[in-house]
Amino acid sequence: GAWYAKMPLRGSYFRQLKHVGTLVKHPIDGYHAIRYQDGAGLASSLTLLALAFAALGLIRSQTSFVFNPEIYEGVKLGPVLVQFIAIWIGWVIAHYLVSSLMRGEGRLRDVFYGSSYALIPIIAIGIPLTVISHGFTLSEASIFKFLELAMYLWTFLQFFWMVQGIQNYSVGEAILNIIFSLLALAIIATLIFIFFSLSGELINFIYSIYQEVIIR
């Protein structure tokens, strides 16, 4: 990455969006530049996050019925998109906390930016795949599944390279960090679930006491 470290990246919103091209060609250097050379910004990151959000909605609701039987029953996008955003935010928080303990170099904003840019495969493959799915038949199902798998695999690799580039980790450190980050994400999700469950029980308990008092 020495050749890339010399390249000035400070620039406009559009230049930061063009940084996506660097992440495709030289992902680790590209994420390293997000951390140290302002290769990304809040506006460009939110743009990519919104596009990925829209692409996911398009994939779930507009993919041909041949490959998406849910369309027959009606796709409920609300829960899917809320779950996507919740997992993404949970990942950002969990990864930042774990990286802080593991001497990572990325700041919270760098993790936020990098995690937004890491979603580019969903946009780059997901949208075209949704469109061309209407031209596919069951005989081309293997092609569709291959492209879908490529999208998920590339997304995973982007997150892996993001952890390496932003936190300045080796391959082994990145693998360990991702494992701990996912465990932390699971713990956060469990605690939130318990909190809301107990909150619901507490509200019901208070309401039942209120009813008893009113009746008597």
Side-chain angles (χ1 to χ4, degrees), residues 119-131:
L119 296 171
I120 54 176
I122 297 176
I123 304 167
I125 296 181
I127 295 176
L129 184 59
T130 300
V131 174

Side-chain angles (χ1 to χ4, degrees), residues 31-46:
Y31 286 111
H32 192 269
I34 287 178
R35 168 63 181 90
Y36 293 102
Q37 297 175 272
D38 290 337
L42 180 61
S44 61
S45 298
L46 287 176

Side-chain angles (χ1 to χ4, degrees), residues 4 25 74 80 88 113 142 159 197 205:
Y4 195 77
K25 298 175 184 175
V80 174
W88 185 87
Y113 296 165
S142 58
F159 273 94
S197 297
F205 176 69

Side-chain angles (χ1 to χ4, degrees), residues 91 94-105 111 159-160 162-164 167 169-184:
W91 158 263
H95 174 62
Y96 172 71
L97 293 175
V98 170
S99 299
S100 298
L101 295 174
M102 294 180 65
R103 299 181 182 179
E105 298 180 10
V111 175
F159 273 94
F160 181 79
M162 184 273 290
V163 172
Q164 270 194 283
Q167 304 298 347
Y169 283 155
S170 65
V171 172
E173 289 172 329
I175 292 173
L176 199 60
N177 179 280
I178 289 173
I179 292 172
F180 286 143
S181 295
L182 291 176
L183 286 174

Side-chain angles (χ1 to χ4, degrees), residues 127-187:
I127 295 176
L129 184 59
T130 300
V131 174
I132 65 175
S133 71
H134 292 277
F136 283 171
T137 62
L138 278 176
S139 60
E140 284 107 14
S142 58
I143 300 174
F144 179 86
K145 292 297 181 183
F146 172 78
L147 292 173
E148 190 178 45
L149 178 62
M151 178 182 71
Y152 290 125
L153 179 59
W154 188 21
T155 301
F156 170 77
L157 287 173
Q158 284 292 332
F159 273 94
F160 181 79
W161 292 323
M162 184 273 290
V163 172
Q164 270 194 283
I166 285 181
Q167 304 298 347
N168 200 18
Y169 283 155
S170 65
V171 172
E173 289 172 329
I175 292 173
L176 199 60
N177 179 280
I178 289 173
I179 292 172
F180 286 143
S181 295
L182 291 176
L183 286 174
L185 175 59
I187 291 170

Side-chain angles (χ1 to χ4, degrees), residues 54-63 68 70-71 75-77 80-81 83 130 152:
L56 182 65
L58 192 71
I59 292 167
R60 292 302 297 267
S61 64
Q62 299 301 319
T63 297
N68 186 18
E70 288 182 29
I71 288 182
V75 179
K76 296 180 180 178
L77 281 180
V80 174
L81 296 178
Q83 186 181 47
T130 300
Y152 290 125

